Amino acid sequence: MKKLVFPLLGAMVLSLFVSAAADTQSDTQEDKTFPENEGILQLHKGNFKMVLRKHKQLLVHFYTPLTSEGQRVAAAFEAAGAELQGSEVKLAVIDVTKEKELAKKLNVSSQPTIRLYLAGDINSPASCPVPQSSASILIWLQRRAGSPADLIIDLSQLEASDDLTVVGFFKELNHDYVQVFYATAIDLPDVRFAVIQNDEDFGKYSATQDIVLLLKKVLIGQIIHH
């Protein structure tokens, strides 16, 4: 019986070695299939659909690297990628100068273009406005995932700011025009939006009904009222 111990042990070690080698080879193959640069996936015709199926939220930047606008947006995109490391949103890029066929298939006709693909749906991506900075991308993603209630603040927070702010004075948030207001906030991530619901704050601007105002420490203009 003792003579069988060493052959059996050797077979077990060999089996573990082969298994580990297979796992390493699989990881290497996956790295080649899904190449990354500082956490951002590099997509091409051969891996786009696989990556799309793999990630529930895939934010893709279609760019031309030799244009100044493309380089500016690429820098903003990379900075946003650093902030989004470990989140549910996976960032990826496609160089349309190399992937013209893929860009044409996806109906990308202008650059830079940033799209958010959800749950593997290739046909109905959400288009991100061309960002001014990484903050533009982060705010756009945040507002898309949120609701008008996320914009509620106190008027004192606005009065201390020099930023131009679009302020909705809404007593209730279940109106269609409030949803239009929030959809506009999503489309304009570089503009500050806020919602006021406090009755005392309504009184400061003599708002007796729902209204949208432009504020920058003082009232600049009235947009709508209901």
Side-chain angles (χ1 to χ4, degrees):
M1 291 292 292
K2 291 182 180 179
K3 292 181 180 180
L4 295 177
V5 173
F6 294 103
L8 180 60
L9 181 60
M12 291 174 63
V13 171
L14 179 61
S15 175
L16 290 172
F17 177 78
V18 171
S19 176
D23 289 342
T24 301
Q25 184 177 9
S26 175
D27 290 342
T28 302
Q29 289 175 343
E30 183 166 334
D31 288 343
K32 291 180 179 179
T33 304
F34 308 124
E36 293 192 13
N37 182 12
E38 297 184 355
I40 298 178
L41 288 165
Q42 311 297 301
L43 300 187
H44 50 76
K45 180 181 177 182
N47 67 6
F48 179 78
K49 287 187 177 180
M50 288 185 288
V51 171
L52 191 64
R53 289 193 296 266
K54 185 177 181 181
H55 299 282
K56 291 184 178 180
Q57 297 188 60
L58 182 67
L59 190 66
V60 183
H61 177 207
F62 299 84
Y63 74 105
T64 50
L66 299 180
T67 65
S68 58
E69 180 72 349
Q71 291 172 353
R72 183 189 66 76
V73 175
F77 194 79
E78 290 170 7
E83 294 289 334
L84 291 167
Q85 287 280 2
S87 73
E88 294 182 355
V89 182
K90 186 63 180 178
L91 273 65
V93 295
I94 295 177
D95 183 346
V96 297
T97 62
K98 297 179 180 179
E99 298 295 329
K100 294 179 181 179
E101 184 179 343
L102 178 59
K104 183 178 180 180
K105 184 177 180 180
L106 296 173
N107 295 317
V108 176
S109 58
S110 62
Q111 294 83 39
T113 293
I114 298 177
R115 290 179 178 175
L116 179 64
Y117 292 88
L118 300 172
D121 184 2
I122 196 173
N123 298 312
S124 305
S127 294
C128 175
V130 176
Q132 297 300 313
S133 65
S134 60
S136 308
I137 298 172
L138 299 174
I139 291 171
W140 181 76
L141 289 169
Q142 183 182 43
R143 288 179 181 175
R144 279 200 82 264
S147 71
D150 298 325
L151 299 178
I152 296 174
I153 63 173
D154 291 324
L155 192 59
S156 58
Q157 295 174 258
L158 291 180
E159 293 174 339
S161 173
D162 287 326
D163 295 333
L164 175 68
T165 308
V166 183
V167 186
F169 288 78
F170 303 133
K171 293 182 179 180
E172 301 290 341
L173 299 180
N174 57 350
H175 298 290
D176 289 342
Y177 55 81
V178 177
Q179 297 307 316
V180 172
F181 175 87
Y182 193 69
T184 304
I186 294 173
D187 289 338
L188 298 173
D190 293 303
V191 178
R192 189 180 185 189
F193 280 74
V195 170
I196 299 295
Q197 287 200 299
N198 187 296
D199 287 339
E200 183 178 339
D201 291 337
F202 266 69
K204 288 182 180 179
Y205 285 89
S206 302
T208 57
Q209 54 192 341
D210 286 2
I211 193 171
V212 176
L213 303 177
L214 291 177
L215 299 180
K216 189 176 181 181
K217 285 195 174 180
V218 295
L219 174 64
I220 294 177
Q222 174 179 311
I223 300 177
I224 62 170
H225 64 86
H226 288 269

